[in-house]
Amino acid sequence: SKAVKPETGKEASEKGIFGFIEYCREKDWEISKLCAKMNIDHLGIDREVDALIAATHEICLKFIECHDYVHIHSANPCTPWSQIQRLNEVQYGKNFRERLAKARRTNLLFIAKFILLTRKVREKGGTSSFEWPRHATGWSQPLVKQLIQENGYTTTYVDGCAVGLKSNRTGLPVLKPWTFVTDNPSLRDALIEKRCSKDHEHTPIEGSDTVKTGRYTAELAKILVKAFLKEGHTAFQKLLD
């Protein structure tokens, strides 16, 4: 597999001011589209293709080094840590448990790589964030706890319906409880109020909605990108003061 290039078409080694990295993402995320629209240097690392390639890690390091302020965000695949896997382990037996254990080991490799990148971002004065569904069992993994502790992350809970997530089937809001951890104060403050208002009904996540709810809405993408830019401008202002 080939390592990726920044989606602005630039080489990772080209100088820039602000840079946004989506690490271990789904393809065609709203963040990518928004960064392209705003001409923000953006590096998208796809889950299945690029995330564990050594050359890709080097490209990420070059991208971080060549930008004055970088925010890196990861939404690692959460399937291996879904609560339903507890039932699947009992129902499908030894072979399933072995496949699940392998998937979890791979998943933790994503997180280990992400930790290394957040260190470099933090050294340069940048910020980072990580998201999983609120009830994913992976939150208890020592490596995930290390990620949170190392970066001094604070935790914010977000409900999908509060950021425009709706069902393809019914058009009704979908709850989708997310948990974000971040060291970006602007992102934390913007997300903290995004909870269900409890004045509407929800559509359960099933069928075609399952894939959709794994991706961010345009509203949530705007929150992430706006917070990244706000914190970047704040960092530059401190240098001038």
Side-chain angles (χ1 to χ4, degrees), residues 3-131:
V4 295
K5 289 185 178 181
E7 293 183 352
T8 50
K10 296 169 63 175
E11 294 293 334
S13 57
E14 287 188 41
K15 291 288 186 180
I17 298 175
F18 298 129
F20 195 112
I21 301 177
E22 282 183 277
Y23 184 77
C24 207
R25 63 166 190 175
E26 289 275 10
K27 289 184 178 180
D28 301 321
W29 265 28
E30 291 294 332
I31 293 174
S32 313
K33 298 173 186 175
L34 184 58
C35 286
K37 184 178 179 181
M38 298 179 67
N39 200 32
I40 295 169
D41 289 351
H42 170 271
L43 184 60
I45 309 299
D46 295 333
R47 292 176 175 178
E48 303 301 332
V49 179
D50 302 305
L52 295 180
I53 301 173
T56 298
H57 186 75
E58 291 303 314
I59 284 178
C60 288
L61 293 177
K62 286 180 181 178
F63 186 86
I64 294 165
E65 184 62 32
C66 292
H67 287 81
D68 296 314
Y69 180 86
V70 172
H71 183 87
I72 183 169
H73 176 72
S74 180
N76 229 29
C78 62
T79 303
W81 310 107
S82 169
Q83 289 193 332
I84 199 172
Q85 302 298 6
R86 291 171 174 167
L87 296 175
N88 290 339
E89 286 182 273
V90 174
Q91 183 173 356
Y92 297 114
K94 181 180 177 182
N95 288 341
F96 176 84
R97 289 195 294 272
E98 289 175 349
R99 292 196 303 273
L100 179 61
K102 182 179 179 180
R104 286 176 171 173
R105 287 194 297 270
T106 300
N107 195 274
L108 291 173
L109 280 175
F110 289 141
I111 294 174
K113 292 271 190 180
F114 184 66
I115 288 174
L116 295 176
L117 293 174
T118 63
R119 288 174 184 169
K120 290 297 182 183
V121 168
R122 195 169 65 252
E123 284 174 10
K124 288 205 65 181
T127 52
S128 57
S129 52
F130 180 87
E131 172 269 310

Side-chain angles (χ1 to χ4, degrees), residues 137-155:
T137 59
W139 287 111
S140 64
Q141 289 294 308
L143 201 59
V144 178
K145 291 181 178 180
Q146 179 184 336
L147 169 69
I148 294 170
Q149 184 175 5
E150 256 194 43
N151 287 290
Y153 284 161
T154 55
T155 301

Side-chain angles (χ1 to χ4, degrees), residues 71 129 180 182 184-192 223-224 227 231:
H71 183 87
S129 52
F180 283 78
T182 186
N184 184 310
S186 296
L187 180 57
R188 176 200 62 211
D189 293 346
L191 291 175
I192 201 166
I223 291 170
L224 280 156
E231 208 60 35

